[in-house]
Amino acid sequence: MDVSSEPEHAPPVTAPLVSPIAQLAYVFSEYSTTTGNAMSTKINAQARAHEAMGGRTYVVVSDRREHDYGEGTIVRYASSRSTRREWFTDLERRADAVCGVTLGRRPFVARFHRDALGAVPSDAEALVVYNYAGAVTDRLVQRFPGKVVLHLGNDVFRTWRPSEIRRVIERTHVTVTVSDYLAGTISDRLGFRPDNLHVLRNGVDSDSFRPSAREGGAPVTILSVGNVVPHKGVHHLIAAAHVLARRTRDFRVHVVGSAGLRPAEGLSTYEQELRRAAAPLGDLVRFTPFVDRRSLPAVYGQADVFAMPVQWQEPAGQVVTEAMASGLPVVSARSGGIPEYLGPDGVYADPRDATAFADVLQALVESPAERVCRGRALRTRAESLTWERNVGELMRLLAD
């Protein structure tokens, strides 16, 4: 995608509607407003759009979790896995990496998904598997009569040999990534781009996330939302706030999120370090732990600037599109697929350079007109990123 171009407008959906579709949520994850899991949010939005088009979506989930989203037909499965080992462990990942090199397959992740895959309704015409590429085995393709979609939101092939990657993509009807950046990493590892590898950009709910009127005269609120873990780079934002505070006090930093994807008691070591680093700034910085999906639009509505200080190659960033739809100017690292979404209307800086990051934040703090201009432009871009378009494009790929 040429990030200097204007956002594209969604073409009409002319491909036949594929229905029912089965969506496989992360094993043991909630299909709920109470999780920060981006995949659950995406499945819910796609199910809503698919149903609005007249389709039907099965959402395959564990019976050990609570699920409160109303969209989609929930299909629960019972797991044979011990409740003490509900997560895919680091040991299993390492063992799978060894098996991948020596055997060309990853038995532990396949076993991890066995119960969930066994619950997929037989009338499903397509099955969407998120990120866990090792679950897309020869056995799955032989047993499932419909079309298999591997949906990649992260760089899951870091420990994979090219031959492994090629085989798993060949098993799918289509493999989709959330950005050109992510598709490019796969093509680079393979040395070519598979014909069935496509980019399917995330959508955003521009009705729920929308611009809000802000009172004049109040300090400018710089918002950060997401998992509060080191690679998300909140410590860079705190460092920039120290620099900014020596120049102006007309701002506030609001960090929203926790280390995990759900409410938790206590703070991680990293969260404690952030609070110690921010303490000298007093009321210029505040922290709000996990916020559920229903409350998030109001959080964005109380902000003036959105900061994305990531220090890894973020493939897309759900919070980026939410900030765009909320009409906020976005200051971000030029990282991964983020520029594909922000385009020329984003503000880019290296968050590891505290002074440079503070410079661009200060420019927005001191210029209401610039904030409004960039926020409006990003809102326009977000309005083209509909979930209806996302699902319509998936229908077209499945019909090919």
Side-chain angles (χ1 to χ4, degrees), residues 68-359:
D68 62 18
Y69 276 131
E71 292 78 17
T73 300
I74 292 180
V75 177
R76 300 174 186 268
Y77 63 88
S79 178
S80 57
R81 193 173 173 97
S82 166
T83 56
R84 291 174 296 180
R85 298 180 61 250
E86 288 188 345
W87 305 111
F88 195 56
T89 67
D90 289 339
L91 178 61
E92 288 171 318
R93 287 188 177 89
R94 290 193 293 269
D96 260 354
V98 173
C99 290
V101 171
T102 58
L103 304 175
R105 58 188 179 87
R106 304 196 170 220
F108 291 95
V109 72
R111 186 183 305 167
F112 186 63
H113 285 80
R114 182 174 55 198
D115 298 318
L117 291 170
V120 174
S122 59
D123 64 331
E125 295 182 12
L127 168 64
V128 183
V129 177
Y130 285 91
N131 282 344
Y132 282 107
V136 182
T137 61
D138 287 330
R139 179 181 174 86
L140 169 63
V141 174
Q142 291 163 4
R143 295 185 62 181
F144 180 67
K147 297 176 178 179
V148 175
V149 178
L150 177 59
H151 193 300
L152 300 177
N154 285 310
D155 183 7
V156 304
F157 290 133
R158 288 187 300 274
T159 64
W160 290 53
R161 294 185 304 170
S163 58
E164 274 192 280
I165 300 172
R166 176 178 52 79
R167 281 196 297 270
V168 78
I169 291 178
E170 286 176 348
R171 294 184 190 119
T172 70
H173 179 78
V174 61
T175 294
V176 298
T177 69
V178 295
S179 61
D180 284 317
Y181 163 78
L182 196 52
T185 64
I186 297 170
S187 300
D188 289 345
R189 289 194 179 98
L190 290 173
F192 71 99
R193 180 157 178 158
D195 291 339
N196 64 335
L197 175 63
H198 298 273
V199 175
L200 184 64
R201 299 196 196 287
N202 289 336
V204 65
D205 183 353
S206 292
D207 291 327
S208 296
F209 295 93
R210 55 188 311 108
S212 298
R214 295 280 289 147
E215 293 183 11
V220 172
T221 296
I222 302 167
L223 175 67
S224 171
V225 177
N227 274 62
V228 182
V229 291
H231 70 269
K232 295 292 187 178
V234 176
H235 54 287
H236 297 312
L237 178 57
I238 301 302
H242 277 279
V243 175
L244 190 57
R246 293 195 288 269
R247 305 172 182 175
T248 177
R249 308 289 288 187
D250 192 26
F251 76 97
R252 300 291 184 270
V253 170
H254 187 193
V255 177
V256 177
S258 300
L261 296 172
R262 58 185 55 80
E265 294 184 7
L267 300 174
S268 68
T269 299
Y270 178 65
E271 290 174 294
Q272 294 173 24
E273 291 173 352
L274 288 176
R275 283 158 173 77
R276 284 195 291 270
L281 294 170
D283 64 358
L284 293 184
V285 179
R286 67 186 174 107
F287 295 87
T288 299
F290 183 88
V291 172
D292 69 29
R293 295 296 304 171
R294 290 167 295 194
S295 303
L296 266 182
V299 170
Y300 287 97
Q302 295 164 5
D304 303 283
V305 176
F306 189 81
M308 189 71 172
V310 291
Q311 62 181 37
W312 74 306
Q313 295 298 317
E314 183 86 44
Q318 177 176 278
V319 294
V320 169
T321 53
E322 291 170 353
M324 292 167 62
S326 301
L328 299 180
V330 177
V331 179
S332 176
R334 194 178 289 276
S335 165
I338 292 175
E340 299 173 36
Y341 287 82
L342 290 178
D345 303 307
V347 180
Y348 301 100
D350 183 351
R352 296 169 298 182
D353 184 334
T355 300
F357 205 55
D359 287 345

